Amino acid sequence: MKTLVIGAGIAGLAAAQDLRKAKQEVVVLEARNRVGGRIHTDRSFAPIPIELGAEFIHSSQVPTYPLAQQFGLRTLYYSQQEDTLVRLSDGSLKSVAQGYSHTRRADWPPALGEESLAHYLERHQLWDKMPFKLQEYISDFDDPRYLSAQAALEYLLDPSAEEGDYRILDGYD
Amino acid sequence: MVETLEWGPWGVWAHTADGRVYRGEQAIVALPLGVLRAGQVRFVPELPPAKQTALEQLGLTDALKLFFYFEQPVLPPGIAELYLPGARLEEWWSSAQGHGLRGEVLTALATGEKARTLLALPEAQALQTALETLRQALGRPDLTPCKARLVHWRDDPYTLGAYSKASVGAARARSLLAHPVQGRLFFAGEHTAPNAWAATVHGAYASGRRAAQEVLQLRGPMPPIRQRPQTLGPAAFAPR
Ligand SMILES: Cc1cc2nc3c(=O)[nH]c(=O)nc-3n(C[C@H](O)[C@H](O)[C@H](O)COP(=O)(O)OP(=O)(O)OC[C@H]3O[C@@H](n4cnc5c(N)ncnc54)[C@H](O)[C@@H]3O)c2cc1C
Ligand SMILES: Cc1cc2nc3c(=O)[nH]c(=O)nc-3n(C[C@H](O)[C@H](O)[C@H](O)COP(=O)(O)OP(=O)(O)OC[C@H]3O[C@@H](n4cnc5c(N)ncnc54)[C@H](O)[C@@H]3O)c2cc1C
């Protein structure tokens, strides 16, 4: 049985690896002369590697974390609490630990159908009760007027949103 | 580069730009959302309408990363990230910590409208704008990097957009995009991950493993392969 895998980013490579483990024939077709896709480490800019694409492993709750451990990769933890400064409306800088509620609200009410995240936050008057991870979600994607509230809640209630991030010191690739 | 995926009950043929044809009993399509949306790879026959609608509904985030290399420390001791709500560059972090570097390498991320505004500027001006934001936030007008660089994935022909975003109306689009089609086309990639894990490396990784399992489950004992119709010869897809 032969499977074509189109694209050698992390998704295609993970698929090919599992098929090979199951003794299947696999051909991976990739357009670039490198694998990894949106994982792309650069070692020419500075004395240390920088990441042009993906940079962090988002919590120890996701499968790439044990993978990094298994390969003995050195990681550095960014707690996004004491080690992260936020600028408040008066211009002062405070740590996330001081400025944001850490514990996520267990009682986030469900979203109504396909409402926007902005609408949802407005409806429940949750604008100033946002945990830092939701603030970060917004910064990572777009204005909350354009984002699905339902999808944002699915992220917020996942264990991966409860921790900080890990950075692979010697490069994601 | 794959240009055309021809598929049917007989399997999948991948036609590449250099005129080669790769044949499989099935394919796992692990292409970026941007590439699929732009029709960079042609499906023959076309993907079912439900997939095409989901491709349109799911948004694509424009993201821009800016890198600054300073020869001296920049952030206060013990600080690794800086978040500036409402600023032109909101997210900043150190990419040098843990390396024992005397100086600092800061990375800034902009998305959405902010990314597009910066991308409309000449690169040097975008970098200068970002630097001003940092100087102001830290109250250090003297901060000057010895090197700066800007990177984005919007125009990269093999990505065409940084990562998927769940726009209003698209809460179910990712799960629709993950569904296999007629036991021949399987789908992986960050945009096929559950909403909680999409747009990440772990989401993409898990989606690839999921697609491999789908193939293995469906193809346990091989179904008989039907004859491929003669009318669709590879000549129809000869390289241009
Ligand atoms: C069935 C098959 C199809 C291939 N198709 C292409 C192609 O379309 N385009 C291309 O540029 N190169 C393709 N290659 C790869 C090419 O033939 C060489 O293997 C490649 O240049 C790497 O050579 P290497 O000596 O470094 O590794 P090798 O010793 O050739 O490979 C190491 C292991 O990886 C496997 N492998 C390597 N490349 C692939 C691949 N693309 N897909 C699945 N398994 C692979 C090999 O079977 C082997 O088990 C294919 C290889 C195989 C086995
Ligand atoms: C700026 C930025 C920052 C990010 N930061 C993080 C982070 O900190 N943490 C995190 O977890 N995630 C992060 N991500 C997201 C993460 O990088 C992606 O979700 C993940 O790498 C996607 O993997 P993939 O395999 O789905 O797609 P890709 O890695 O894009 O792989 C798709 C592959 O298909 C190939 N391809 C395209 N067209 C063709 C064609 N016609 N024929 C053959 N091959 C083709 C491409 O070259 C590529 O190799 C970031 C992304 C960006 C852009």
Side-chain angles (χ1 to χ4, degrees), chain A residues 7 9-11 30-32 37-38 53-56 58, chain B residues 2 189-190 199-201:
Chain A
I10 186 75
E30 167 58 48
R32 300 181 212 260
R38 279 169 274 175
E55 183 146 355
F56 295 102
H58 299 294
Chain B
V2 174
E190 59 81 9
T200 66
V201 172

Side-chain angles (χ1 to χ4, degrees), chain B residues 115-194:
Chain B
R116 287 188 288 276
T117 305
L118 288 169
L119 278 172
L121 301 174
E123 178 169 337
Q125 210 180 320
L127 288 165
Q128 189 60 34
T129 302
L131 183 62
E132 289 303 336
T133 303
L134 183 71
R135 285 173 170 168
Q136 199 199 356
L138 296 176
R140 290 182 53 183
D142 57 306
L143 269 182
T144 303
C146 61
K147 231 172 154 183
R149 180 175 175 190
L150 176 158
V151 167
H152 69 89
W153 295 76
R154 190 183 61 180
D155 303 335
D156 177 313
Y158 305 125
T159 311
L160 297 175
Y163 40 77
S164 67
K165 78 172 166 210
S167 307
V168 179
R172 292 195 58 246
R174 286 168 173 147
S175 96
L176 274 166
L177 290 175
H179 284 167
V181 175
Q182 292 181 21
R184 293 295 169 187
L185 295 178
F186 297 80
F187 296 87
E190 59 81 9
H191 60 285
T192 69

Side-chain angles (χ1 to χ4, degrees), chain A residues 2 16 20 25-30, chain B residues 16 20 22:
Chain A
K2 183 152 103 183
R20 283 301 292 258
E25 203 185 328
V26 183
V27 175
V28 182
L29 299 173
E30 167 58 48
Chain B
T16 58
R20 281 192 273 182
Y22 297 85

Side-chain angles (χ1 to χ4, degrees), chain A residues 80-86 88 92-102 132, chain B residues 79:
Chain A
Q80 303 187 303
Q81 293 293 320
E82 297 77 16
D83 67 359
T84 298
L85 289 180
V86 184
L88 305 182
S92 67
L93 295 172
K94 269 224 168 93
S95 81
V96 169
Q98 296 168 292
Y100 279 83
S101 59
H102 173 45
F132 180 66
Chain B
I79 295 302

Side-chain angles (χ1 to χ4, degrees), chain A residues 1-4 6 18 32 38 45 51-53 55 78 83 85 87 114 139-140 142 146 148 154, chain B residues 23 25-26 28 30 65 80-81 83 90-91 93-95 111 147 153 156 162-163 165-166 195 209:
Chain A
M1 179 184 91
K2 183 152 103 183
T3 304
L4 305 177
I6 320 294
D18 278 4
R32 300 181 212 260
R38 279 169 274 175
F45 178 77
E51 302 293 349
L52 309 186
E55 183 146 355
Y78 289 59
D83 67 359
L85 289 180
R87 184 164 63 186
E114 286 285 6
S139 296
D140 283 349
D142 208 342
Y146 307 128
S148 154
E154 287 170 31
Chain B
R23 300 159 196 216
E25 271 127 60
Q26 59 274 320
I28 294 179
K65 263 188 169 184
E81 298 194 31
Y83 186 75
E90 291 186 328
E91 282 186 73
W93 63 82
S94 165
S95 290
T111 64
K147 231 172 154 183
W153 295 76
D156 177 313
Y163 40 77
K165 78 172 166 210
N195 287 326
R209 301 201 65 180

